[in-house]
Amino acid sequence: MKALKAIYIIAIFVVTAVIITFFAARRFGFFKGGESMVEETVSTSPFTAADIEADILNLRIEEGEEYAVEYAYPASLVPSIKMDGDTVVIKSHGKNGFHVSFGNGRDGNNLSGTRLVLIVPKGTDFKELKVEADAGNINIEGYTFDRTEIECDAANVNFNEVTSAKTTIDSDAGNIQIRDSALGKCKLSADAGNIEVKDSTMETLEVETDLGNVDLRSATFEKGEMSSSMGRIAVDGTFEELKAESDLGSISVDSEDIKDTKLDLSVSLGSITVDGKQKGKSYQQ
C-alpha cells in the first residue's frame, strides 16, 4: 500500500507538471521576442505600504533620498503607479499575456532584464507589503513590516534581515529562503520548491510543501507545524512544540532542549530521527 501511495503521489506531480508547462507556454509564449525595454524612475508622495500585481516581477527595496518607484519593463508591461492614501499601488499586466526572451540583449520581454524597485528614505518602516506575481524573484533585505503577504505562481522569494509581525508567503513553483529575520506569525508554502529558514525567529510557524525539502537551521519559534508530500523535513533550533509529517521523505529534529519539547512526528515512507536517534515511523513525546 505504501509503494502504491508513493507511485500515486509521483504520478500526480508528473501530471501537474505537464499541465503547468502547457498553460505556461500558452500564457507566456516562451521563446518569442520583440519589444524594447522602457526604464523610468517615478517620484511619488511618501508611502508606508505597497500593493503590487505583476505578470513579471523582479522586486527589491532600496534606500534613496525621496520616495520613488524605479522600473525596467517591456513596453507592453509598463506598470501603472498610483497612490491610494499612504499605499503605492503598482500594476503591470500585458493585454494578451507576454512573451519571454531568455537572451542577454536589451530587446524582447527579457525576464532577467526586468526590475521593479521601491525607493524609500533611510529609516522607513512599512505597514504592509502585498505582492501578487506570475513569475520572477522577490528579494527583500533589511526592512520592517507590520504585515507581508506574497503570492507567486513561479518565483523565488528571499528575505534577509526582515522584520514582519505577520508573514504569509505562497509560491506555486519556486524556493523560499529566510535569513536572519524575525517574522512573528509566519506561514510559508510551496507546491514545488524548497523552503529554507536560517538564523531566524518566529512566534508560530506553519510550513507546507508538496514537492520539496524543508530545512530549518538555528530557528527559534514557540509552535510549529510542518508537512511535505514528497521531501525531507529537517529542523534544528529552539522550540516548544513541533508537529511534522511527511508522506515520502525523512524527518530529523535536533534541539538543545529536546527533552522539554513537545513532538508529534510521522512519516509514511521514510524515517524519523530525533537528536541523532532513530525513532521509527511515528514518534510523540
Side-chain angles (χ1 to χ4, degrees), residues 6 10 30 33 40 44 56 63 76 112 118 136 147 149 157 166 169 189 195 198 201 205 226 229 231 250-251 266 274:
I10 293 170
F30 291 126
E40 188 176 1
T44 69
I56 305 176
E63 181 183 315
S76 63
S112 63
L118 302 180
R147 176 187 178 94
E149 183 177 341
V157 180
K166 187 173 182 179
I169 302 175
S189 60
I195 297 176
K198 183 179 180 182
T201 62
L205 177 61
M226 303 170 194
S229 297
S250 63
I251 296 176
S266 62
V274 177

Side-chain angles (χ1 to χ4, degrees), residues 154-211:
N156 297 316
V157 180
N158 300 290
F159 276 18
N160 186 34
E161 296 182 350
V162 170
T163 299
S164 176
K166 187 173 182 179
T167 307
T168 302
I169 302 175
D170 183 3
S171 179
D172 290 342
N175 299 319
I176 298 172
Q177 188 177 81
I178 310 296
R179 291 281 191 278
D180 299 305
S181 296
L183 300 184
K185 297 179 179 179
C186 181
K187 183 175 182 179
L188 310 175
S189 60
D191 290 345
N194 298 318
I195 297 176
E196 183 178 326
V197 179
K198 183 179 180 182
D199 297 322
S200 297
T201 62
M202 289 73 57
E203 295 175 17
T204 59
L205 177 61
E206 295 180 43
V207 178
E208 180 180 1
T209 179
D210 290 332
L211 178 60

Side-chain angles (χ1 to χ4, degrees), residues 1 4 21 35 45-46 64 67 85 103 117 156 169 184-185 203 219 232 243 249 270:
M1 291 296 294
L4 289 175
T21 301
E35 291 186 280
S45 55
Y67 292 89
V117 185
N156 297 316
I169 302 175
K185 297 179 179 179
E203 295 175 17
R232 180 191 70 248
K243 180 178 181 180

Side-chain angles (χ1 to χ4, degrees), residues 12 56 94 107 154 178 180 259 279:
I12 289 296
I56 305 176
D107 294 330
I178 310 296
D180 299 305
K259 293 182 179 179
K279 298 296 183 179

Side-chain angles (χ1 to χ4, degrees), residues 56-249:
I56 305 176
L57 183 62
N58 287 318
L59 174 68
R60 64 181 188 269
I61 303 174
E62 292 184 355
E63 181 183 315
E65 295 183 358
E66 59 182 16
Y67 292 89
V69 176
E70 175 187 300
Y71 66 81
Y73 272 106
S76 63
L77 291 173
V78 167
S80 65
I81 302 170
K82 300 179 181 179
M83 293 299 302
D84 182 7
D86 61 357
T87 300
V88 60
V89 180
I90 303 169
K91 298 183 185 296
S92 170
H93 295 294
K95 294 181 179 179
N96 299 308
F98 59 86
H99 307 301
V100 178
S101 168
F102 294 95
N104 296 319
R106 302 290 292 177
D107 294 330
N109 296 350
N110 190 348
L111 177 61
S112 63
T114 66
R115 69 179 182 275
L116 182 70
V117 185
L118 302 180
I119 300 174
V120 297
K122 183 178 181 179
T124 297
D125 292 335
F126 290 83
K127 293 179 181 177
E128 182 177 29
L129 174 65
K130 184 177 181 181
V131 173
E132 293 183 19
D134 286 343
N137 295 285
I138 315 297
N139 297 300
I140 308 298
E141 181 173 2
Y143 285 91
T144 297
F145 307 86
D146 291 340
R147 176 187 178 94
T148 54
E149 183 177 341
I150 297 175
E151 183 176 350
C152 305
D153 290 336
N156 297 316
V157 180
N158 300 290
F159 276 18
N160 186 34
E161 296 182 350
V162 170
T163 299
S164 176
K166 187 173 182 179
T167 307
T168 302
I169 302 175
D170 183 3
S171 179
D172 290 342
N175 299 319
I176 298 172
Q177 188 177 81
I178 310 296
R179 291 281 191 278
D180 299 305
S181 296
L183 300 184
K185 297 179 179 179
C186 181
K187 183 175 182 179
L188 310 175
S189 60
D191 290 345
N194 298 318
I195 297 176
E196 183 178 326
V197 179
K198 183 179 180 182
D199 297 322
S200 297
T201 62
M202 289 73 57
E203 295 175 17
T204 59
L205 177 61
E206 295 180 43
V207 178
E208 180 180 1
T209 179
D210 290 332
L211 178 60
N213 298 320
V214 176
D215 189 6
L216 275 66
R217 290 177 286 169
S218 299
T220 301
F221 53 91
E222 296 176 8
K223 181 179 180 181
E225 293 188 16
M226 303 170 194
S227 66
S228 176
S229 297
M230 191 186 307
R232 180 191 70 248
I233 297 175
V235 182
D236 181 1
T238 303
F239 40 91
E240 296 179 7
E241 183 176 345
L242 174 64
K243 180 178 181 180
E245 57 184 2
S246 177
D247 290 331
L248 182 59

